[in-house]
Amino acid sequence: MKKIIDCFVPQGVAEETNKNVETLKELDIVNRVMVVETSVKSSSTLRDMAQQAEAPYTLLFLKNQFINMGYLALERMVQIADITKAGMTYSDHYNVSAEGIRTDAPVIDYQKGSLRDDFDFGSVLLFRTDALKDAAARMKADYQAAGFYDLRLKMAEKESFEHINEFLYSEVELDNRKTGEKLFDYVDPRNRASQIEMEAACTEYLKEVGAYLEPQFPHVPLDGGEFECEASIMIPVRNRIRTIRDAINSALSQQTNFKYNVFVVENGPECHSTDGTTEAVDEFKDDPRLIHIIPTRNDLGVGGSWNMAAHHPQCGKFIVQLDSDDLYSGPDTLQKMVDAFYEQNCAMIIGSYMLTDINLNILPPGKIDHKEWTPENGRNNALRINGLGAPRAFFTPAIREINLPNVNYGEDYALGLAISRRYQIGRIYDVLYNCRRWDDNSDGNLSIEKENRNNTYKDRIRTWELLARIAMNQKAGQ
């Protein structure tokens, strides 16, 4: 067996690091094993690694705990890398708890739109060394936190990434939080410095591939069209008996200097809720502002419910989100949202929210304001982050022009990306909304299979949006 892999292992606990080194050295396919004493996320470390690599393939462990490679696993990775000529190869793996319990940890395929800086490749990466050296040579910045992100974006410009959907190694699970507790890591103020680096790396990539959009926006004709009322609050719902009354009361208690109404649109395979939610909504039927829609068709997701409300003849000029779990932070939220459309001349407004439990006790990280959004670069950075914030409000003609995908996850993100390609999106950094986390949240504690489906779909949304922006720029340059 030829020794064709140089291995780089990050320094961790001495016992685990030594075990990684000795285990790899025992493999016939391994040429050298080197311990990395600096962060594998930094640009300088990765440049040094690329320079030191001599063998045809380079193996990198992203995590510093013990990685137990499967029987002939590296041979299998090399075999697939050789067949596909991929610049980087990665695989599914197992997680092993401290108690020895093994669980599956499948990952997902990489797409053009897999621009999230936290895309999960697992912890074992096999590079074709010539591709690694080329990508490292094209890295222009010196990042502390975004070096690996920058490297893989550079590599993605020229190379394919191959996902082997086989379980080729085991790693110890270090982060035992539920998926719902991990959702907000990227907006934690403590991570702000690294997020600035990530944005810079992503923006450079978008410029390289022709998808970057300049901060130039057309005027939004907010005074056009005829609408029965100025605004509509939109509450999509299915089986939320514990929270729907709170949401409706919050919506109907808004104090405004304009006329508004409230849509409650049910969705799901039964056409209506089955837990008493439908009857709870009917308790408010005497208020003429409430429009309760129970579709006759059974194929509507949340996105389809939004489309039904937006195309309804009684929909207002602006349509404003309120999820059936959540509450506005005060009676002035709707007024502030509508005022912002005129003040900022936007087709979409996004506010800030407080993360709370169901009893409105604040949960960490507390206020989520997405201050990483800037008028200069928000529309580009939107392709990197995993959500745009809340509450969201839209200029109704924009929704009628674009429409939301008829799905139950990612529909609002898809619409926001499409709007940002065309128009300015405005922001309000005051807290306008209480996002309540509780045991029945749709994204509170997902199985890894459902989390992977969600991430795959959002990456697909980004892929389509990336292609649309490239095509738009090419057309403008003709």
Side-chain angles (χ1 to χ4, degrees), residues 75-95:
E75 286 82 356
R76 179 60 170 165
M77 294 186 80
V78 168
Q79 184 182 58
I80 299 302
D82 185 56
I83 292 170
T84 62
K85 310 302 179 188
M88 186 176 78
T89 304
Y90 62 103
S91 77
D92 297 345
H93 60 280
Y94 298 113
N95 285 334

Side-chain angles (χ1 to χ4, degrees), residues 60-258:
L60 172 64
F61 285 1
L62 290 178
K63 296 181 181 179
N64 56 18
Q65 81 268 26
F66 175 59
I67 306 295
N68 184 21
M69 297 302 303
Y71 180 56
L72 297 178
L74 290 186
E75 286 82 356
R76 179 60 170 165
M77 294 186 80
V78 168
Q79 184 182 58
I80 299 302
D82 185 56
I83 292 170
T84 62
K85 310 302 179 188
M88 186 176 78
T89 304
Y90 62 103
S91 77
D92 297 345
H93 60 280
Y94 298 113
N95 285 334
V96 180
S97 69
E99 296 76 25
I101 299 172
R102 191 183 77 177
T103 55
D104 292 353
V107 291
I108 62 176
D109 291 350
Y110 194 89
Q111 307 175 46
K112 287 182 179 295
S114 298
L115 298 178
R116 292 175 292 118
D117 55 79
D118 62 350
F119 184 92
D120 183 12
F121 295 100
S123 59
V124 177
L125 305 178
L126 183 73
F127 298 97
R128 212 180 66 239
T129 299
D130 65 318
L132 172 65
K133 289 180 177 291
D134 175 72
R138 289 184 285 114
M139 294 168 64
K140 302 173 184 176
D142 188 16
Y143 296 125
Q144 297 302 308
F148 174 71
Y149 181 55
D150 187 28
L151 176 75
R152 58 106 158 168
L153 289 177
K154 290 289 188 298
M155 188 171 289
E157 292 178 27
K158 294 184 177 183
E159 305 285 347
S160 64
F161 296 166
E162 192 69 18
H163 166 214
I164 305 175
N165 51 329
E166 301 168 10
F167 296 87
L168 296 184
Y169 63 94
S170 299
E171 64 179 54
V172 176
E173 177 65 51
L174 294 180
D175 192 344
N176 292 317
R177 293 175 297 163
K178 297 178 180 179
T179 55
E181 295 171 334
K182 301 175 187 178
L183 286 174
F184 306 99
D185 286 350
Y186 71 101
V187 289
D188 191 327
R190 294 171 294 182
N191 299 331
R192 184 70 187 116
S194 65
Q195 290 301 307
I196 291 173
E197 288 190 358
M198 301 293 184
E199 179 177 356
C202 184
T203 302
E204 182 181 324
Y205 171 78
L206 294 177
K207 290 179 178 179
E208 292 288 342
V209 300
Y212 172 81
L213 299 181
E214 298 285 350
Q216 300 170 353
F217 305 95
H219 177 78
V220 182
L222 299 178
D223 295 327
E226 294 185 3
F227 297 88
E228 288 190 13
C229 60
E230 184 74 353
S232 294
I233 294 171
M234 167 57 182
I235 307 175
V237 67
R238 179 174 181 267
N239 290 344
R240 282 292 183 267
I241 187 60
R242 289 175 59 186
T243 59
I244 187 61
R245 293 183 182 89
D246 291 344
I248 294 174
N249 280 320
S250 180
L252 293 175
S253 65
Q254 293 299 296
Q255 299 175 9
T256 64
N257 59 16
F258 52 78

Side-chain angles (χ1 to χ4, degrees), residues 13 21 48 187-188 416 470:
V13 176
V21 171
D48 290 344
V187 289
D188 191 327
I470 292 172

